[in-house]
């Protein structure tokens, strides 16, 4: 059996695969806000004192890991049957550790818990996450030191991007020199949690490493020019980079004793949630386009060669199964639907009924930017969406416009993430993209992809794993409606023109 974990913005999830039976044995999730109220987050994050600062807590992720594993044991799962474990982390978030980290990991005491043992290892108590937009000054400084943003894009696959790890690291270096000096190691969410499982500091994989503005996309090594432009002495603080399929080691004794795992269980490097989701959606080979509808909305696809977005919004990340993936990310994702649903006093079923009402020629898509948007860079919208139809139309017309650089939309788009449970949202995507939309058996595609990667690394064939676990859900096919397609085709250029009036100057 294979275990996949997913530490995303709002929750930590586990998914266990039985490869012989070809079944998902169990899925379980710890919701940060609801289940770990002592960390005082809203939807898994807290805002900082300065504009645009958004943080999460590595200690909360550790508490979630202990809670999730104890729940699995309490539910009767025999974790000794797990042969390999991997995971997926929200991308870009950085964890700052002092020189005690490695020794503490090597001696974790199963009589105690993870967070109290690892708390003294943090040189910064909180982690800036992907929602943070406080680094425009640092982006400008890094881009200037690189000799222009085009050079950053050419080397790392993305122009200098506010939420990426490099600009976040530079801000910490500038703001907290003492804590910076005490920092011995900087991990991502993914490599931090993989290190905890392996009981030693492990590498950052190429999939997630590409989201840092620090990795040279062609060599798969740290880019010395980008490191020097970001912070002095950074090379010594970063772990090595390695292929996503690297077996980091066996599971630390802490988990063997406490949760009765096998001491032979292998730990495979973790990756980012979008790279893992690419695998979990059966889209690791080019040809499938995926829209992930989680806290962030993302659109991504596998690529043989890195191709960049001329407008600078798209990213190239590592595909955990080799080569590359393209991605665009929207800040105003699932939490916009949730906010509008709550303000209208609706249940998700009622939300879905509104989302299923077809558009008319008079429909007015609204700028859906409750929060300042990153794709495109735009301030929070002057008008709030007041109807579900106008919110969804604005969100997905923007997604269509910003995805043009990726090339032709395939006949089918595969959707995942919390909001993909809404049929009306799937119908909206089908109508706006003029493509079939399909869901998979689980919307936990990042955890599924992590479990598949755990199996693929020690030798399972990817094709066999895809055949067993990434088939579209029966009866989930949503086809475009010709009338709605025609309405959206007329609406799209008008809406994009409106949108462009509200853009910020890119950093
Ligand atoms: N039945 C539903 N219909 C539409 N959206 C939903 C439904 N249930 C949950 N959601 C949305 O899914 C979001 C969580 O998605 P998820 O993929 O778990 O997020 P993440 O992986 O980023 O933590 C919630 O914020 C909520 O807005
Ligand atoms: O910033 C990005 C991708 O570049 C986000 O997609 C994060 O990876 C967070 O993911 P979710 O928690 O929304 O899945």
């Amino acid at each position: 059996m294979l275990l996949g974990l997913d530490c995303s913005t709002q929750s930590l999830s586990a998914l266990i695969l039985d490869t012989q039976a070809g079944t998902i044995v169990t899925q379980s999730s710890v919701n940060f806000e609801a289940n770990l109220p002592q960390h005082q987050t809203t939807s898994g994050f807290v805002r900082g004192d300065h504009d645009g600062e958004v943080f999460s807590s590595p200690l909360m992720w550790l508490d979630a890991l202990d809670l999730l594993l104890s729940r699995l044991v309490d539910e009767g799962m025999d974790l000794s049957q797990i042969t390999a474990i991997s995971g997926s982390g929200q991308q870009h978030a950085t964890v700052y550790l002092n020189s005690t980290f490695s020794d503490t990991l090597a001696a974790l005491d199963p009589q105690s818990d993870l967070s109290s043992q690892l708390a003294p290892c943090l040189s910064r108590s909180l982690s800036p996450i992907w929602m943070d937009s406080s680094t425009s000054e640092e982006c400008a400084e890094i881009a200037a030191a690189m000799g222009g943003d085009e050079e950053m894009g050419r080397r790392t696959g993305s122009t200098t991007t506010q939420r990426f790890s490099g600009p976040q690291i530079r801000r910490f270096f500038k703001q907290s020199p003492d804590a910076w000096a005490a920092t011995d190691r900087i991990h991502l969410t993914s490599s931090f949690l993989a290190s905890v499982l392996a009981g030693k500091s492990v590498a950052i994989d190429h999939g997630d490493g590409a989201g840092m503005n620090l990795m040279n996309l062609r060599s798969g090594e740290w880019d010395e020019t980008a490191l020097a432009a970001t912070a002095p002495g950074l090379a010594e603080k970063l772990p090595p980079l390695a292929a996503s399929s690297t077996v980091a080691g066996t599971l630390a004794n802490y988990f063997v004793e406490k949760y009765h795992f096998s001491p032979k269980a292998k730990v495979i490097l973790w990756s980012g949630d979008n790279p893992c989701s690419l695998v979990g959606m059966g889209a690791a080979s080019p040809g499938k386009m995926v829209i992930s509808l989680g806290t962030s909305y993302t659109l991504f696809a596998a690529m043989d060669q890195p191709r960049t977005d001329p407008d600078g919004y798209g990213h190239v990340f590592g595909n955990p199964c080799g080569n590359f993936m393209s991605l665009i990310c929207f800040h105003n994702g699932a939490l916009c639907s949730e906010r509008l649903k709550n303000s209208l006093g609706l249940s998700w079923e009622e939300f879905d009924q509104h989302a299923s009402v077809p558009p008319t020629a008079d429909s007015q898509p609204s700028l859906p930017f409750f929060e300042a948007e990153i794709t495109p860079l735009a301030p929070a919208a002057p008008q709030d969406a007041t109807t579900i139809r106008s919110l969804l139309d604005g969100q997905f017309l923007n997604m269509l416009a910003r995805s043009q650089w990726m090339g032709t939309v395939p006949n089918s788009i595969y959707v995942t993430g919390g909001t993909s449970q809404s049929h009306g949202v799937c119908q909206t995507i089908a109508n706006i993209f003029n493509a079939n939309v399909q869901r998979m058996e689980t919307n936990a595609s990042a955890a599924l992809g992590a479990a598949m990667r755990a199996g693929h690394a020690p030798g399972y064939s990817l094709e066999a794993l895809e055949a067993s676990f990434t088939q579209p859900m029966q009866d989930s096919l949503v086809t475009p409606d010709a009338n709605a397609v025609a309405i959206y085709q007329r609406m799209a250029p008008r809406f994009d023109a409106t949108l462009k009036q509200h853009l910020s100057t890119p950093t």
Side-chain angles (χ1 to χ4, degrees), residues 49-123:
D49 294 335
H50 298 101
D51 253 11
E53 284 181 343
V54 184
F55 299 102
S56 186
S57 161
L59 298 182
M60 176 178 75
W61 303 333
L62 295 174
D63 283 339
L65 183 56
D66 269 326
L67 180 59
L68 185 64
L69 295 176
S70 57
R71 276 190 193 167
L72 289 172
V73 171
D74 291 348
E75 285 161 15
M77 272 307 304
D78 177 5
L79 297 179
S80 72
Q81 298 304 306
I82 307 279
T83 55
I85 306 169
S86 190
S88 120
Q90 56 169 296
Q91 297 197 251
H92 319 299
T94 34
V95 183
Y96 299 79
L97 298 142
N98 62 33
S99 58
T100 65
F101 183 51
S102 289
D103 287 349
T104 306
L105 283 181
L108 286 173
D109 176 5
Q111 305 304 321
S112 177
D113 57 61
L114 291 171
S115 66
S116 48
Q117 294 183 79
L118 286 162
C121 303
L122 292 174
S123 56

Side-chain angles (χ1 to χ4, degrees), residues 10 22 93 113 166-167 177 183 186 268-269 273 307 309-310 322 373 477 484:
Q10 299 194 50
D113 57 61
T183 301
I186 302 172
I268 285 76
L269 290 188
D273 56 0
R307 187 151 38 88
D309 172 9
E373 183 49 72
L477 179 68

